[in-house]
Amino acid sequence: MRRRSLRVLAVLVMCVLIATGCRGAADTADSDDAAGGDAAASPEAGGSEEAATGELTFAEGVTEEPCPDEVAVNPDNGCIYLGVISDFTGTFAGLGAPIAEAVGAFWNRVNEQGGIGGFDVDAVTYVRDNNYNPETHNEVYQEIKPEILALAMSLGSPTTAAIYDDLEASSIVTVPAGWTSNYVFQDLVLEYGTSYCVESMNAVSWATENVVDDPQTIMAVHYPGDYGADAAYGAQVAADDLGAEFVAVETEPGQDNQAGAIDAIVSQNPDLVVVTTGPTDVATIIGQAAAQGYQGQYVGTSPTWNPGLKDTPAFEAMTQQYHQSRPAETYEEGEGPGFDAVREVFGDDGDDGILTGWTPQYAVKAAIEAAIDNGDLTREGLLEAATSLEAVDYEGMQPEGSGNFAAGEAFPREIIMAQPDAEASSGVTAVTDYISSDVAEGFEFGDQPCWQQL
């Protein structure tokens, strides 16, 4: 691995180490102010004697040269390149575009605040489309891999699984738009929000206390693998805790593939259905099951929903039968500096896809700051820094205590429940604050992900 030293950063790195004094001294210089101020503001920015020598080691994905003109804000800064693999043409295309746009906007905000430790961050140049296809995901990952320090976004859990062994071999830290419980066991992944498995435990518990009395049968309709089956197993754990019968119905993506799931719902008439599919498929399932007479209740895991469902024929049925579980407050309703910042960029019409791109970048930023403090901005140095984080300042966009990657399980266990709302840009409004159930709080992951136990 080729390594170089960026000695010109010595003053900035020392500012991180003696943060308070340097922040005051740098107030007159915009870039120095933010470079020292960002790192100093991080609770992880403890500094190190190694960094104080003035040596900062870096290699792939980091350059002394500034970022490309369309990205660079600070001409004297070097550049950190982050990759983004999203879905612009596949099952989750409605989410993929705002996710990628929000990742770029987050880092543009960082750059406008002076960058990090003498670097601007480019999360725009290496953006690629995976079509929500694992093979395509791997192809575009291999294309950008030599050029990036880390993946700021890897949309999808099955797609991310397709490259995980390579990520591990290359020590490339990754942020997924996915919440499979696989990530409890994978140090390279900077997850946020709870796992599908725990999310479903909480959703079932909430639903049986608020919209379904004494359920006798709970059905999970789900995609196969580490997305849908992960949520289905959580529903099974909650059903067992309630003493209810549990039925799992696996379904493949695609509107033409939902006849079996619809028939199972209509014929078996469960009291509650937990759905973990793509948005177009849930519209097909709920709309056609309602047309055939099913009047029971649904809860859907977070990626099952997108605001485009407001414009489908199924939306009327959804307003009567559907609630959404989610890892955070809605775009419109969220309170705190992070929500204020994202709404300042995207206005009042943003949606949850934007939050999915923006929110996890706080963990990447904290890891980069810590790596610079440690004097090692290589891929290996970033991984070491990330797995040492005990907390991340999400500016109020995640529940208290999120981001303890040093503890291994950085997933919080709380969720928020919401219901369809035609007037909300996210298409839903919250009906709870953060909640967690006894069964979710007491669940232990053991030695394998949830979906492998279904």
Side-chain angles (χ1 to χ4, degrees):
M1 178 183 294
R2 184 168 61 93
R3 299 177 186 275
R4 294 181 292 178
S5 295
L6 189 61
R7 299 176 187 278
V8 296
L9 289 176
V11 173
L12 295 174
V13 172
M14 292 187 69
C15 282
V16 172
L17 300 178
I18 50 176
T20 303
C22 279
R23 289 175 71 192
D27 281 346
T28 56
D30 290 344
S31 61
D32 286 356
D33 179 26
D38 278 346
S42 166
E44 298 75 35
S48 70
E49 291 183 5
E50 183 180 357
T53 64
E55 296 283 342
L56 178 65
T57 303
F58 60 90
E60 293 97 336
V62 185
T63 69
E64 295 180 10
E65 294 74 28
C67 295
D69 290 344
E70 59 269 25
V71 174
V73 173
N74 305 287
D76 295 331
N77 279 0
C79 191
I80 297 170
Y81 291 92
L82 302 177
V84 174
I85 305 177
S86 195
D87 179 7
F88 304 120
T89 53
T91 300
F92 293 99
L95 288 170
I99 285 173
E101 186 179 5
V103 174
F106 178 93
W107 290 109
N108 182 62
R109 177 189 181 220
V110 171
N111 295 340
E112 288 182 340
Q113 293 173 338
I116 300 180
F119 295 94
D120 283 359
V121 178
D122 180 342
V124 175
T125 298
Y126 297 108
V127 176
R128 297 293 186 272
D129 178 16
N130 70 4
N131 190 34
Y132 199 63
N133 179 296
E135 183 176 350
T136 303
H137 195 94
N138 187 41
E139 288 173 358
V140 297
Y141 160 71
Q142 295 297 338
E143 178 185 331
I144 65 175
K145 172 184 167 184
E147 312 297 337
I148 59 172
L149 172 64
L151 274 176
M153 180 51 60
S154 176
L155 186 143
S157 52
T159 48
T160 301
I163 64 172
Y164 189 80
D165 288 347
D166 197 311
L167 292 170
E168 190 169 42
S170 305
S171 299
I172 296 178
V173 169
T174 301
V175 174
W179 294 267
T180 174
S181 61
N182 285 2
Y183 303 150
V184 173
F185 305 92
Q186 296 176 337
D187 287 345
L188 287 159
V189 172
L190 301 184
E191 70 271 29
Y192 85 101
T194 197
S195 65
Y196 302 123
C197 181
V198 170
E199 180 179 344
S200 287
M201 293 179 204
N202 283 322
V204 169
S205 296
W206 177 86
T208 56
E209 293 172 359
N210 292 276
V211 296
V212 178
D213 292 329
D214 191 23
Q216 301 301 302
T217 305
I218 295 174
M219 177 180 288
V221 173
H222 65 92
Y223 287 166
D226 58 359
Y227 168 45
D230 209 62
Y233 181 73
Q236 181 180 23
V237 170
D240 290 347
D241 183 69
L242 293 164
E245 180 185 1
F246 175 77
V247 179
V249 177
E250 186 175 292
T251 188
E252 295 290 335
Q255 290 176 281
D256 294 339
N257 296 323
Q258 304 313 315
I262 295 164
D263 179 68
I265 293 170
V266 174
S267 62
Q268 298 183 43
N269 194 31
D271 298 299
L272 177 68
V273 181
V274 179
V275 188
T276 310
T277 67
T280 54
D281 290 341
V282 77
T284 300
I285 291 167
I286 293 178
Q288 294 191 20
Q292 295 180 39
Y294 179 68
Q295 298 298 312
Q297 293 292 309
Y298 299 85
V299 291
T301 41
S302 183
T304 303
W305 178 267
N306 79 24
L309 292 173
K310 293 190 298 183
D311 300 323
T312 67
F315 187 70
E316 181 176 351
M318 287 181 158
T319 60
Q320 302 299 316
Q321 296 178 264
Y322 181 84
H323 285 83
Q324 183 210 18
S325 56
R326 43 186 301 118
E329 297 172 272
T330 68
Y331 182 91
E332 299 92 332
E333 299 171 306
E335 296 182 353
F339 286 104
D340 293 341
V342 73
R343 287 190 291 256
E344 182 176 347
V345 174
F346 290 97
D348 295 333
D349 296 328
D351 58 42
D352 293 343
I354 289 170
L355 298 185
T356 302
W358 180 284
T359 307
Q361 302 309 310
Y362 288 100
V364 183
K365 179 170 174 282
I368 291 174
E369 291 169 342
I372 291 174
D373 285 358
N374 294 337
D376 187 354
L377 195 55
T378 64
R379 291 170 174 173
E380 295 83 357
L382 184 64
L383 175 59
E384 181 178 354
T387 53
S388 299
L389 295 174
E390 295 182 350
V392 172
D393 180 4
Y394 284 97
E395 292 195 298
M397 301 184 78
Q398 281 288 277
E400 191 74 20
S402 297
N404 187 359
F405 299 100
E409 183 189 337
F411 281 128
R413 300 222 170 185
E414 300 94 335
I415 66 164
I416 285 175
M417 293 300 300
Q419 65 183 13
D421 181 351
E423 301 302 318
S425 64
S426 295
V428 293
T429 56
V431 294
T432 72
D433 293 326
Y434 282 109
I435 58 171
S436 61
S437 62
D438 290 342
V439 64
E441 290 293 334
F443 179 75
E444 296 183 2
F445 283 97
D447 59 2
Q448 59 183 335
C450 291
W451 66 279
Q452 293 182 356
Q453 303 178 58
L454 184 67

